[in-house]
Amino acid sequence: LHDAAAHVGVPITQLQGDLDLRVVQFAGIDTPHLELDLTAQRFRAAGRLVEPLSLRLSTDDQPGVLKLQDMHGQIYDGVLVGSGALELRPRGRYRLNLTLQDVAIEPFLDPPPDTDADSDADASLSQEPGWLSANLSVEAVYGRPHSRRGRGALEIRDARLYHRPLTMALLQAANLALPIGSSFDRAEARFLILGDTVHFDAIRFESPTVAIAGTGSMAYATQTLALTMYTRNPAAPNLGVIGDMFHIFKDQLLCIAVTGTLDQPQAKVVSFEGIRQSWNELFSSRRPPVRRSAAAARDTDTTPPSP
């Protein structure tokens, strides 16, 4: 393969490598036995440089199901491994598990232009501080995005995140509430994928002096955000129950609402958001009970008298 391209969920370009394919058709079996071995010296997946990578696809013990196994590669000084399965039939299901470990964050988040002469740019970007580790498990039916189900986690450490779009928006919003002497250098997130929505169980950005944590969701196709974040002081002493009560009260008074998209987030400080929501939940769905006199109750009572 020389400068090959494909689209397997993400665009694959500039693929250089060797592909070995073995196909055997057995009598009485509708689908053939397949074995595919790929050894790629380099390629780009969604613009990210992977070099090298090897994987094996086969229908070893289950006809009609192509299993992904022995996938191992390197991406920006980090490790990429994966496994999964693909059903070889219309409207079949696919399952994919991917893990990234200690990947240089700058070239991964901001890959250089997709050209042949950019290896030097990749190398220079990989010298920037910051490492990313992540895992993702997802499955769905071909051509049916609403059937997508998955979960994952992400962790960034030893980074300079002040120039990232989302963290910059959070910094600007948090500065209205408290002074920040340094940028975020750590981040983590846990999420679920349900159809076209990514639900963040927990998302957290942290610096030595402040942390911003919260929950929310993102539209998978448009990357539209709907997050609610709260500020924390990582250096504050642990006061136990009293500290928890203080945080609950403070969160009711002040929070950061994040809208817009992942590339162009819009963050603003919202006051009394929690109290307003609690007030609405308490009173909007409640109606005063109807009081009835004893005489009216006797007039409308249709229960037959007991013998």
Side-chain angles (χ1 to χ4, degrees):
L1 300 172
H2 176 70
D3 201 22
H7 200 293
V8 288
V10 296
I12 302 296
T13 58
Q14 301 178 15
L15 195 152
Q16 315 288 333
D18 299 312
L19 178 65
D20 295 326
L21 178 63
R22 180 171 182 259
V23 183
V24 180
Q25 180 66 59
F26 293 99
I29 299 178
D30 295 334
T31 57
H33 173 76
L34 301 174
E35 294 179 359
L36 183 152
D37 291 284
L38 173 66
T39 303
Q41 284 79 43
R42 72 189 303 270
F43 65 91
R44 288 191 177 273
R48 279 77 179 173
L49 181 62
V50 180
E51 58 176 356
L53 179 133
S54 61
L55 62 84
R56 180 179 177 84
L57 291 165
S58 67
T59 57
D60 287 338
D61 56 353
Q62 196 171 358
V65 178
L66 196 59
K67 291 186 177 181
L68 170 62
Q69 51 193 342
D70 299 330
M71 176 179 172
H72 188 278
Q74 292 184 338
I75 175 171
Y76 300 124
D77 301 327
V79 176
L80 167 64
V81 296
S83 62
L86 305 89
E87 295 181 357
L88 301 178
R89 60 182 179 84
R91 297 301 182 186
R93 302 188 66 87
Y94 69 85
R95 183 182 72 256
L96 184 62
N97 304 307
L98 290 177
T99 299
L100 294 172
Q101 186 69 36
D102 293 335
V103 176
I105 187 173
E106 286 303 321
F108 185 84
L109 296 182
D110 282 324
D114 196 3
T115 63
D116 290 327
D118 55 10
S119 58
D120 292 340
D122 286 295
S124 63
L125 282 173
S126 65
Q127 303 304 315
E128 294 292 327
W131 306 98
L132 179 146
S133 298
N135 62 77
L136 171 67
S137 298
V138 63
E139 62 177 74
V141 177
Y142 303 136
R144 295 183 180 179
H146 65 275
S147 68
R148 190 185 295 118
R149 298 290 184 271
R151 66 173 59 244
L154 179 148
E155 179 185 13
I156 296 173
R157 56 182 176 82
D158 302 328
R160 291 199 296 256
L161 299 175
Y162 60 91
H163 61 289
R164 311 306 315 174
L166 180 56
T167 52
M168 176 59 74
L170 292 175
L171 276 170
Q172 292 172 343
N175 267 314
L176 299 177
L178 73 166
I180 296 179
S182 58
S183 66
F184 297 119
D185 56 6
R186 298 179 298 281
E188 59 183 28
R190 298 193 309 272
F191 56 88
L192 299 173
I193 300 175
L194 299 175
D196 193 49
T197 304
V198 180
H199 297 275
F200 291 99
D201 289 339
I203 181 170
R204 183 181 179 92
F205 298 89
E206 190 170 334
S207 75
T209 58
V210 67
I212 297 180
T215 60
S217 63
M218 181 184 72
Y220 193 96
T222 63
Q223 296 187 341
T224 303
L225 297 169
L227 306 177
T228 301
M229 313 290 288
Y230 305 103
T231 58
R232 292 287 185 269
N233 182 3
N238 186 1
L239 301 179
V241 177
I242 296 177
D244 294 340
M245 293 177 62
F246 171 77
H247 286 312
I248 292 174
F249 179 74
K250 182 174 66 67
D251 293 346
Q252 298 293 311
L253 295 176
L254 191 70
C255 70
I256 299 173
V258 183
T259 57
T261 64
L262 192 60
D263 291 331
Q264 295 181 333
Q266 300 174 4
K268 63 178 180 179
V269 174
V270 181
S271 300
F272 300 101
E273 181 68 17
I275 291 178
R276 186 183 300 113
Q277 180 179 353
S278 300
W279 183 275
N280 291 335
E281 291 177 354
L282 181 62
F283 293 104
S284 63
S285 61
R286 290 190 178 185
R287 297 179 179 177
V290 178
R291 297 184 179 275
R292 303 172 61 196
S293 64
R298 287 194 301 270
D299 293 340
T300 57
D301 189 3
T302 58
T303 305
S306 56

